[in-house]
Amino acid sequence: MDCCSPRMFLPHAFFHAMVLAIIITVMAEEKTCDLLGEQGQESSKELALLNRLEPLVNQSFETESKNGDGHYIYKFRICREVFSNMTNSGLVQISKTDNKQKVIGRINETHLANGTRWIMLVYQGGDPYGTHCTQEGRKALVMIICNRTMLATGFTMVAEEREKIKQCSYVFELESSLACPPEDLHQNVHPHLSIGSILLITFSSLIAIYIIGGFLYQRLVVGAKGMEQFPHFAFWQDLGNLVADGCDFVCRSKPQNAPAAYRGVGDDQLGEESEEQDDHLLPM
Ligand SMILES: *[C@@H]1O[C@H](CO)[C@@H](O)[C@H](O)[C@H]1NC(C)=O
Ligand SMILES: *[C@@H]1O[C@H](CO)[C@@H](O)[C@H](O)[C@H]1NC(C)=O
Ligand SMILES: *[C@@H]1O[C@H](CO)[C@@H](O)[C@H](O)[C@H]1NC(C)=O
Ligand SMILES: *[C@@H]1O[C@H](CO)[C@@H](O)[C@H](O)[C@H]1NC(C)=O
Ligand SMILES: *[C@@H]1O[C@H](CO)[C@@H](O)[C@H](O)[C@H]1NC(C)=O
C-alpha cells in the first residue's frame, strides 16, 4: 500500500496528531494518589474512599510544630503535589530555621482505611531518615476525623514516632465532615424524639384505641345506640358528675345550704328532694 501519496498522507497525519493530543492530555493531567499495591491491584474499598475525599483535593493544609530539635511547618495536600518541583510530595516538612525541605510522604504510595467516624490516609515513600529508624523512608499518617460543621478544619501534628527501628511515622489529624457516617446526617434532619413526646404519643394512641375499640364493641357486640355507644359511658358520666361536684365543693365560696355540707359531696344534685327517697340505697 502506498502510504505517502497525498490521498493517504492526510488521514495518517490527522491520526498521528490525534494520538499525540491524547498522550499530551494524559500527561498534563494532574498527578493523583496512586493506590497500586505490590501486585498492581487497586482495592475497590480504597477507590471508594478516594472518591469520598475528592472535595478536598483542591485544598492545601498547613500546621506548625515545635519540638526538641526544631521549629517546622508541615504542608499537606490530599492526592496532589504540595510542590511541583518535589515529585509526588503529599506532605512536606519545612524547617523554619534553615528552610530545609523534606518530603514526609508521597502520593504515589498512598494507603487508605476507614472506620465509622474516621478515614486514615497514609503516605509512604518519604525522604529517608538520616540516622533514625534504620534510615527507612519517612511516612505520614493522617487521621481524618468526623466533624459535621466543616468540610476541613483543624489540621495539626499529633506526634512524631522515630524511636522505633522500623515503621516510624509522623502522625497528623484533620477534621472533616467527609469522615462522618451518612446515617448521622439523616438523624440530624430528624432529631430523636424525647421521652416526653414518646409517652404523649403512646398515651394518645391508647386513648384513641380505647375510644374506637370501645365504640365498635358497644355498637356491634352490645348493640348500644346513641351516647351509650361510648365505652363505659355510665362510668365517665359518673366521673364527670364527681368532678363537677368536687369543683363545686372546692370553688364555691358560700355553701348553698348548711346541712347539705354535712351530708357530703354528691348529695347536692339531689337538691331539695326529701331524705326518705335515699332510703332504698341503704343496705338492708
Ligand atoms: C478547585 O478549585 C477551582 C478554582 O480554584 C475550581 O474551579 C474547581 O471547581 C475546584 N474543584 C473542586 C473539586 O473543588
Ligand atoms: C520548590 O518550590 C518552592 C516554591 O514553589 C520553593 O520554595 C522550594 O525551594 C523549591 N524546592 C526545591 C527543592 O527546589
Ligand atoms: C514514588 O515517587 C518517587 C519520586 O518520584 C519515586 O522515587 C518512587 O519510586 C515512587 N514509588 C513508587 C512505588 O512508584
Ligand atoms: C468506609 O467507607 C466506605 C466507602 O465510603 C463505606 O461504604 C463504609 O461503610 C465505610 N466503613 C465504615 C465502617 O464506616
Ligand atoms: C468542629 O469544628 C469546629 C470548627 O473548627 C469546632 O469549633 C468544633 O469544636 C469541632 N467539633 C468537634 C466535635 O470537634
Side-chain angles (χ1 to χ4, degrees):
M1 210 196 276
D2 177 13
C3 74
C4 303
S5 79
R7 239 180 94 241
M8 290 307 289
F9 177 72
L10 271 176
H12 263 104
F14 181 70
F15 178 74
H16 286 153
M18 282 285 287
V19 169
L20 208 65
I22 288 170
I23 289 172
I24 287 172
T25 317
V26 168
M27 285 181 68
E29 200 181 293
E30 260 192 294
K31 282 212 176 71
T32 187
C33 283
D34 195 341
L35 302 168
L36 290 178
E38 241 111 86
Q39 285 80 32
Q41 175 82 46
E42 283 185 325
S43 128
S44 58
K45 277 194 201 113
E46 286 191 309
L47 278 176
L49 284 172
L50 204 57
N51 284 336
R52 218 162 121 189
L53 293 175
E54 187 65 27
L56 291 179
V57 299
N58 250 2
Q59 301 197 29
S60 181
F61 307 97
E62 199 177 304
T63 186
E64 274 189 46
S65 169
K66 263 185 212 170
N67 66 17
D69 47 43
H71 188 178
Y72 299 104
I73 295 175
Y74 293 91
K75 284 179 185 274
F76 167 55
R77 287 193 70 181
I78 291 177
C79 296
R80 290 290 181 273
E81 286 177 323
V82 173
F83 294 125
S84 51
N85 56 2
M86 298 161 101
T87 321
N88 290 324
S89 55
L91 207 151
V92 175
Q93 178 197 60
I94 302 156
S95 165
K96 282 206 99 173
T97 43
D98 58 8
N99 206 34
K100 246 197 202 157
Q101 292 153 16
K102 283 199 182 74
V103 178
I104 304 297
R106 290 195 152 84
I107 61 177
N108 64 338
E109 295 183 32
T110 304
H111 299 275
L112 291 163
N114 67 322
T116 47
R117 302 177 67 80
W118 52 266
I119 298 173
M120 186 176 69
L121 181 150
V122 181
Y123 286 152
Q124 291 181 329
D127 293 345
Y129 285 93
T131 48
H132 300 96
C133 309
T134 334
Q135 288 156 30
E136 67 174 358
R138 287 179 167 78
K139 178 170 78 181
L141 212 149
V142 184
M143 208 66 186
I144 305 168
I145 310 163
C146 165
N147 182 333
R148 288 190 187 294
T149 61
M150 295 283 189
L151 182 59
T153 185
F155 177 62
T156 47
M157 181 165 188
V158 178
E160 181 188 349
E161 169 60 81
R162 59 175 196 190
E163 263 120 60
K164 312 203 313 181
I165 291 170
K166 285 238 158 182
Q167 295 295 323
C168 297
S169 56
Y170 291 72
V171 185
F172 300 86
E173 243 176 39
L174 177 70
E175 290 177 23
S176 168
S177 55
L178 298 176
C180 299
E183 313 89 73
D184 280 21
L185 286 173
H186 190 248
Q187 279 176 9
N188 266 8
V189 179
H190 306 283
H192 270 311
L193 291 170
S194 71
I195 291 182
S197 27
I198 289 173
L199 283 179
L200 203 71
I201 289 170
T202 313
F203 191 63
S204 8
S205 309
L206 286 178
I207 289 180
I209 290 169
Y210 168 73
I211 291 178
I212 294 168
F215 192 89
L216 290 175
Y217 177 81
Q218 292 289 329
R219 189 187 175 90
L220 303 176
V221 180
V222 181
K225 295 246 150 41
M227 293 298 274
E228 299 291 327
Q229 288 176 89
F230 283 100
H232 305 113
F233 180 69
F235 168 76
W236 291 114
Q237 215 170 24
D238 280 355
L239 190 73
N241 287 341
L242 214 63
V243 170
D245 291 345
C247 204
D248 207 41
F249 178 70
V250 173
C251 310
R252 232 180 264 287
S253 55
K254 72 172 193 275
Q256 279 170 310
N257 50 39
Y262 293 107
R263 277 187 277 144
V265 187
D267 288 344
D268 282 5
Q269 77 235 55
L270 298 173
E272 303 301 336
E273 281 170 291
S274 69
E275 284 178 301
E276 284 81 70
Q277 279 180 313
D278 287 341
D279 284 354
H280 68 279
L281 293 172
L282 295 169
M284 301 310 264

Short mmCIF file of all heavy atoms in Angstrom, two decimals, residues 45 48-49 52 114-117 181, ligand 4:
data_model
loop_
_atom_site.label_atom_id
_atom_site.label_comp_id
_atom_site.label_asym_id
_atom_site.label_seq_id
_atom_site.Cartn_x
_atom_site.Cartn_y
_atom_site.Cartn_z
N LYS A 45 -12.25 -0.77 47.90
CA LYS A 45 -12.52 -0.02 49.14
C LYS A 45 -11.73 1.28 49.13
O LYS A 45 -12.25 2.34 49.46
CB LYS A 45 -12.11 -0.85 50.35
CG LYS A 45 -13.15 -1.85 50.78
CD LYS A 45 -12.83 -2.39 52.18
CE LYS A 45 -13.51 -3.72 52.42
NZ LYS A 45 -12.59 -4.85 52.53
N ALA A 48 -13.15 3.75 46.67
CA ALA A 48 -14.37 4.38 47.18
C ALA A 48 -14.00 5.52 48.14
O ALA A 48 -14.62 6.59 48.12
CB ALA A 48 -15.24 3.35 47.89
N LEU A 49 -12.98 5.28 48.98
CA LEU A 49 -12.56 6.31 49.93
C LEU A 49 -11.94 7.50 49.20
O LEU A 49 -12.15 8.66 49.59
CB LEU A 49 -11.55 5.73 50.93
CG LEU A 49 -12.17 4.86 52.00
CD1 LEU A 49 -11.08 4.19 52.82
CD2 LEU A 49 -13.04 5.71 52.91
N ARG A 52 -14.54 9.63 48.00
CA ARG A 52 -15.14 10.37 49.11
C ARG A 52 -14.32 11.62 49.46
O ARG A 52 -14.86 12.63 49.85
CB ARG A 52 -15.23 9.44 50.32
CG ARG A 52 -16.49 9.63 51.12
CD ARG A 52 -16.69 8.42 51.99
NE ARG A 52 -16.72 8.79 53.39
CZ ARG A 52 -16.71 7.89 54.37
NH1 ARG A 52 -16.65 6.60 54.10
NH2 ARG A 52 -16.76 8.28 55.62
N ASN A 114 -10.77 3.08 56.61
CA ASN A 114 -11.78 3.88 57.33
C ASN A 114 -12.51 3.06 58.38
O ASN A 114 -12.53 1.84 58.36
CB ASN A 114 -12.79 4.51 56.37
CG ASN A 114 -13.66 3.49 55.68
OD1 ASN A 114 -13.21 2.41 55.31
ND2 ASN A 114 -14.91 3.83 55.50
N GLY A 115 -13.10 3.80 59.32
CA GLY A 115 -13.98 3.21 60.32
C GLY A 115 -15.25 4.01 60.32
O GLY A 115 -15.50 4.76 59.38
N THR A 116 -16.04 3.88 61.38
CA THR A 116 -17.34 4.54 61.36
C THR A 116 -17.23 6.06 61.34
O THR A 116 -18.01 6.72 60.68
CB THR A 116 -18.19 4.10 62.56
OG1 THR A 116 -17.37 4.18 63.72
CG2 THR A 116 -18.70 2.70 62.39
N ARG A 117 -16.28 6.64 62.06
CA ARG A 117 -16.20 8.10 62.13
C ARG A 117 -14.81 8.62 61.79
O ARG A 117 -14.43 9.68 62.26
CB ARG A 117 -16.61 8.60 63.53
CG ARG A 117 -18.01 8.16 63.92
CD ARG A 117 -18.36 8.60 65.32
NE ARG A 117 -18.45 10.05 65.39
CZ ARG A 117 -19.50 10.75 65.00
NH1 ARG A 117 -20.55 10.13 64.52
NH2 ARG A 117 -19.51 12.05 65.10
N PRO A 181 -20.31 9.31 59.15
CA PRO A 181 -21.20 8.31 58.54
C PRO A 181 -22.47 8.97 58.02
O PRO A 181 -22.96 9.91 58.63
CB PRO A 181 -21.50 7.36 59.70
CG PRO A 181 -21.29 8.17 60.92
CD PRO A 181 -20.24 9.19 60.60
C1 LIG B 4 -15.83 3.03 54.80
O1 LIG B 4 -16.06 3.78 53.61
C2 LIG B 4 -16.89 3.12 52.66
C3 LIG B 4 -16.88 3.95 51.40
O2 LIG B 4 -17.20 5.29 51.64
C4 LIG B 4 -18.26 2.92 53.26
O3 LIG B 4 -19.09 2.26 52.35
C5 LIG B 4 -18.13 2.10 54.53
O4 LIG B 4 -19.39 1.99 55.16
C6 LIG B 4 -17.14 2.75 55.49
N1 LIG B 4 -16.91 1.85 56.62
C7 LIG B 4 -17.35 2.13 57.85
C8 LIG B 4 -17.01 1.13 58.90
O5 LIG B 4 -17.96 3.14 58.10
#
